[in-house]
Amino acid sequence: MQLGPRFESAFSYASIVHAGQTRKGSSIPTLAHLLMVAAIVLEHGGDEDEAVAALLHDSVEDGGGRERLADVKARFGERVARMVEGCTDSFETPKAEWRPRKERYLDHLASADAGTLLVSAADKLHNANSLLAEQRRLGGARWDRFRGGEDGSLWYYRACTEAFREAPLGDERLEPLVEELHRVVLELEALTARART
């Protein structure tokens, strides 16, 4: 599959929306995460709309709420906007309480469409892989930068893995991605438990 002007436009748009933003507790630009999520989506058979949604999946939550979603829809179409909305767990600033917000997001995954699940799973895989790399490099992840802390964050990644596994769509693209997420979460849990002792 070839990526065309819409992907290039989405990259430019994400660069503007996330200008100056970095990953929590790091100097890594948010844009690096968005590119990695798009790459994972494409590696698992995603189409251009899904890759565009991957580039924009944080734009609503971290860059403008419902007004941003309306702009995404106008620029990139209904399908992309639906996937971006499906990857968003908060439209407000400040965000609602962490645990209920995450529980609502998990409930929503049960009825999400295949594209949303693919982008969401790619997002969770890259996040978990980043934590695992940090755990290996530093001998412990810096959980204090996350509202859920260590226990809540690990619970959330486990719960996401289960929600993706239970999704009723039977999308063959999702299965290997979710199995990879499962392996990463298991290793992250094991290294975290080891770091505690």
Side-chain angles (χ1 to χ4, degrees):
M1 181 199 63
Q2 264 190 312
L3 298 172
R6 291 178 73 247
F7 185 84
E8 294 170 21
S9 179
F11 176 77
S12 296
Y13 187 82
S15 299
I16 294 165
V17 170
H18 298 284
Q21 292 180 3
T22 57
R23 302 276 280 157
K24 284 181 186 172
S26 81
S27 60
I28 299 168
T30 297
L31 198 57
H33 167 66
L34 304 177
L35 287 167
M36 290 299 295
V37 175
I40 293 168
V41 164
L42 290 166
E43 287 174 355
H44 287 83
D47 60 27
E48 187 172 35
D49 274 354
E50 291 161 339
V52 165
L55 287 175
L56 303 178
H57 79 272
D58 279 336
S59 64
V60 171
E61 194 168 315
D62 297 336
R66 294 202 180 275
E67 287 180 20
R68 177 69 62 198
L69 182 62
D71 192 43
V72 166
K73 182 177 178 180
R75 290 172 186 260
F76 300 101
E78 173 71 36
R79 183 170 178 239
V80 168
R82 187 175 63 248
M83 288 184 277
V84 170
E85 182 176 16
C87 291
T88 301
D89 73 12
S90 178
F91 293 90
E92 294 83 29
T93 303
K95 293 178 181 178
E97 189 181 342
W98 185 83
R99 181 75 182 228
R101 178 165 44 93
K102 296 303 182 186
E103 288 173 348
R104 281 192 301 276
Y105 186 78
L106 290 165
D107 289 343
H108 137 79
L109 289 177
S111 60
D113 63 82
T116 298
L117 291 171
L118 183 66
V119 175
S120 181
D123 173 40
K124 302 307 179 277
L125 176 60
H126 183 249
N127 286 338
N129 260 325
S130 295
L131 284 167
L132 182 59
E134 183 177 272
Q135 185 83 309
R136 289 175 178 150
R137 189 175 64 253
L138 303 176
R142 292 177 26 246
W143 297 103
D144 59 327
R145 67 193 160 179
F146 301 110
R147 286 191 188 180
E150 180 181 302
D151 290 338
S153 297
L154 289 172
W155 160 79
Y156 184 57
Y157 285 114
R158 279 192 308 271
C160 283
T161 303
E162 289 309 309
F164 294 133
R165 282 180 159 170
E166 292 170 8
L169 294 169
D171 187 341
E172 68 279 352
R173 302 174 306 165
L174 197 57
E175 189 175 333
L177 200 166
V178 174
E179 288 312 305
E180 188 176 349
L181 175 60
H182 177 66
R183 285 190 299 274
V184 170
V185 171
L186 285 178
E187 187 174 353
L188 183 58
E189 288 177 321
L191 287 178
T192 301
R194 204 171 305 146
R196 287 177 185 159
T197 58

